[in-house]
Amino acid sequence: MSTTTRILSGYEPASVLSFFEDICAIPHVSGDERAIADYIEAFAKARGLSCYRDAVHNVFIKLPASEGHESAPAVILQGHTDMVGEKTADSTHNFATDGLKLKVDAEGWISATDTTLGGDDGIAVAMMLAILDNPPQPHPAIECLFTVSEETGLEGAWAFDPVAMEATAHTMINLDSEAEGVLTAGCSGGMRTDITLPVTCESAEGVAVRVTLDGFTGGHSGVEIHEGHTNAIKAMGRILSALTEPYDFSLISVSGGGKDNAIPRDCTVTVDLRDTAHAEDFARAVTAEAEKLRSEPNMIPADKSFTCTAEILPDPPVLSMDDKTTHAVLSLLTLVRDGVLSMSAHVKGLVAHSRNLGIIKTLTDGEGKPTAVKFSMSTRSASNGHLDDSQRELTALAAVLGGEATHRARYPGWDYAPVSPLRDLWTRVSEGIYGVTPRIEVIHAGLECGILCDKLGEMDIISVGPDMRDIHTPREMLSIPSVERTYRLVCETLRALA
Ligand SMILES: [Zn+2]
């Protein structure tokens, strides 16, 4: 027994919180899950439970059904062992060696001093260990899957081998949600696409004008794609394409955005304006186009405070892209479909298919001469058909404009199932105990469930969890009363499944 004070002792559910406090003492940021896997494996060995650990440190523990309930279908409980390691600017915390310093406020919110708490998803690990330690009676066969590196690319889920681990369940409760009273019932899949258009250069003849758009709100390309944020790269395409008729210019360089899964907030393009006498006019015309954009009735208010500058550079340009290249780049910016592509026919308000053009950049050779313009985008849908469609669409678009598309990092979605006995059961149990009907949500972003569902075959899945706030930040908090209610729901659902 440790002699240090147990911050969480005295709170309920005692067993879950005791395991959680143990977990918080073990460093376990993404990619560093060996020690926590050791702890879980030792837990299983001490109790004589069948335990399988794979090369990436995913752990799978099986608990047989209680006597007389062997014919009840097995259920998988699942959560991830890794946490995001974020700390305050002045913190000296070392995530590789130090345990977290827990505290609890008057309302029962647990947090860690100066760091993330890892309630996401340590509380799932703790709940699974508490269930394996002292299961609700009666219970079906329970298979607990502890995955690694969820936060950095769902790597544990990708590595999970249901055959090697002898997983048999077709029902799964994922414990990686962060809002009590919400039941997640589906998620999207997705893929990344890069289109490169080759650049032919020629000697520049005019004056260089740099156009910069900045200060758009941006956002997550999945869960915020329906909110109407302006894509800074598409906005740049609109402004420049509107000026190709009155002005004779070609592109020198383009760059915008930073991540293919974030809606871009900025974009900068430098052009070679051949009609040097009208540089001031051109700069004014750019601003006028930006004002037209700002007055679009459909623009969200927060985006209206974007800035647009058109700056005539003192040094004459040396090289610019030729007209054909310029035309191809501007055409792509006009033609590529971005934002919400279609809505779900089954779930009201759910985006079914979306795309985000997240990054544009000019690739150069060793001497700084442009060789290609690269566009990186992320497409999402739970439907494989949509992703196939998108793949063909972007391949065709690139080919028509003389470029090439490559698709990568494709991952499967978890399609909303119109019929789900587990969802109905969880809802009944929640209504029975708390009189609360959970809100069913399907999210337009990737979860481990999509990959696991694809690997396990026919699965009935729900994703649930207790209330957390500000996850992935040093302000992260986890509600003890919510853990207690959620844990009881999980236990009662297991009892009902038996
Ligand atoms: Zn998580």
Side-chain angles (χ1 to χ4, degrees):
M1 253 337 252
S2 160
T3 50
T4 46
T5 338
R6 299 283 286 182
I7 303 289
L8 302 180
S9 63
Y11 294 97
E12 291 294 335
S15 168
V16 175
L17 294 172
S18 171
F19 284 118
F20 185 69
E21 191 156 2
D22 284 356
I23 291 162
C24 290
I26 303 168
H28 61 279
V29 291
S30 306
D32 187 17
E33 298 96 347
R34 182 189 295 267
I36 193 159
D38 288 345
Y39 170 81
I40 296 168
E41 203 175 13
F43 162 96
K45 286 219 174 91
R47 288 157 184 81
L49 295 169
S50 129
C51 176
Y52 183 99
R53 175 169 174 175
D54 68 16
V56 301
H57 306 299
N58 286 325
V59 182
F60 193 62
I61 301 176
K62 287 180 161 192
L63 175 75
S66 48
E67 222 183 302
H69 296 268
E70 294 82 358
S71 60
V75 58
I76 293 183
L77 301 180
Q78 188 258 326
H80 60 90
T81 52
D82 63 312
M83 66 176 277
V84 170
E86 285 291 327
K87 57 182 183 179
T88 54
D90 55 354
S91 165
T92 55
H93 184 87
N94 181 343
F95 280 106
T97 54
D98 303 344
L100 307 175
K101 289 175 204 68
L102 302 188
K103 56 188 179 190
V104 183
D105 74 10
E107 283 156 44
W109 288 94
I110 315 173
S111 57
T113 303
D114 297 340
T115 67
T116 35
L117 172 68
D120 170 19
D121 197 18
I123 198 61
V125 175
M127 286 197 276
M128 289 192 277
L129 295 178
I131 286 166
L132 291 168
D133 190 46
N134 182 20
Q137 298 298 340
H139 63 84
I142 297 172
E143 304 177 346
C144 288
L145 174 59
F146 304 85
T147 48
V148 298
S149 297
E150 188 270 351
E151 304 286 4
T152 47
L154 313 174
E155 283 142 32
W158 280 116
F160 171 64
D161 179 349
V163 177
M165 294 208 175
E166 296 177 14
T168 63
H170 291 283
T171 298
M172 181 169 100
I173 303 176
N174 165 283
L175 298 166
D176 192 19
S177 285
E178 289 101 28
E180 187 188 342
V182 174
L183 182 156
T184 302
C187 72
S188 72
M191 67 174 179
R192 308 282 163 91
T193 300
D194 294 322
I195 293 182
T196 45
L197 297 180
V199 167
T200 306
C201 283
E202 56 186 23
S203 304
E205 298 164 4
V207 59
V209 182
R210 185 163 59 210
V211 180
T212 304
L213 289 176
D214 200 359
F216 290 102
T217 52
H220 187 279
S221 73
V223 296
E224 292 173 323
I225 198 74
H226 63 288
E227 291 175 4
H229 297 268
T230 300
N231 180 316
I233 299 172
K234 285 287 280 184
M236 181 65 84
R238 166 181 159 151
I239 290 170
L240 293 181
S241 296
L243 299 176
T244 51
E245 270 304 310
Y247 293 95
D248 182 14
F249 66 88
S250 61
L251 301 174
I252 296 174
S253 70
V254 294
S255 88
K259 284 180 171 176
D260 54 22
N261 63 358
I263 299 167
R265 297 158 51 207
D266 65 289
C267 186
T268 301
V269 171
T270 307
V271 304
D272 171 27
L273 183 73
R274 298 199 182 98
D275 184 3
T276 53
H278 290 101
E280 298 285 354
D281 292 343
F282 178 78
R284 272 192 292 274
V286 166
T287 314
E289 284 302 323
E291 290 317 309
K292 275 191 212 163
L293 178 66
R294 204 188 304 279
S295 63
E296 282 292 345
N298 206 32
M299 182 178 255
I300 61 168
D303 273 341
K304 287 190 183 274
S305 53
F306 77 90
T307 57
C308 174
T309 55
E311 187 187 353
I312 299 158
L313 302 182
D315 296 331
V318 181
L319 279 178
S320 70
M321 300 179 194
D322 70 356
D323 283 346
K324 191 166 168 247
T325 306
T326 297
H327 179 71
V329 172
L330 293 181
S331 296
L332 196 143
L333 288 176
T334 302
L335 291 171
V336 70
R337 295 194 301 149
D338 180 85
V340 175
L341 303 185
S342 71
M343 299 296 288
S344 168
H346 302 290
V347 183
K348 204 172 173 339
L350 173 70
V351 177
H353 188 191
S354 75
R355 183 175 303 137
N356 178 57
L357 171 57
I359 312 171
I360 184 171
K361 65 178 170 199
T362 311
L363 306 183
T364 54
D365 65 11
E367 275 116 52
K369 185 179 161 197
T371 54
V373 175
K374 183 176 172 187
F375 306 75
S376 301
M377 57 205 88
S378 141
T379 304
R380 297 174 193 267
S381 174
S383 146
N384 266 318
H386 282 164
L387 296 180
D388 288 344
D389 258 0
S390 265
Q391 199 161 322
R392 281 188 291 266
E393 175 187 343
L394 295 172
T395 299
L397 178 61
V400 164
L401 297 171
E404 215 180 321
T406 54
H407 311 280
R408 61 196 164 83
R410 183 163 164 170
Y411 59 95
W414 160 31
D415 227 339
Y416 173 80
V419 176
S420 163
L422 180 60
R423 199 166 66 219
D424 295 345
L425 178 63
W426 178 272
T427 300
R428 272 203 310 280
V429 172
S430 173
E431 287 169 346
I433 302 178
Y434 301 117
V436 171
T437 305
R439 196 168 78 238
I440 312 291
E441 279 189 359
V442 180
I443 69 162
H444 193 60
L447 295 175
E448 287 179 301
C449 296
I451 297 164
L452 296 174
C453 178
D454 196 54
K455 292 191 172 201
L456 289 159
E458 278 292 278
M459 289 296 287
D460 187 5
I461 306 181
I462 61 171
S463 174
V464 292
D467 284 336
M468 293 182 213
R469 284 186 195 158
D470 296 325
I471 60 163
H472 303 180
T473 77
R475 300 181 307 279
E476 181 184 353
M477 290 197 283
L478 167 67
S479 161
I480 293 177
S482 182
V483 169
E484 189 176 12
R485 289 188 295 267
T486 304
Y487 184 63
R488 182 160 171 220
L489 274 177
V490 174
C491 290
E492 289 304 326
T493 301
L494 289 173
R495 238 191 289 270
L497 282 167

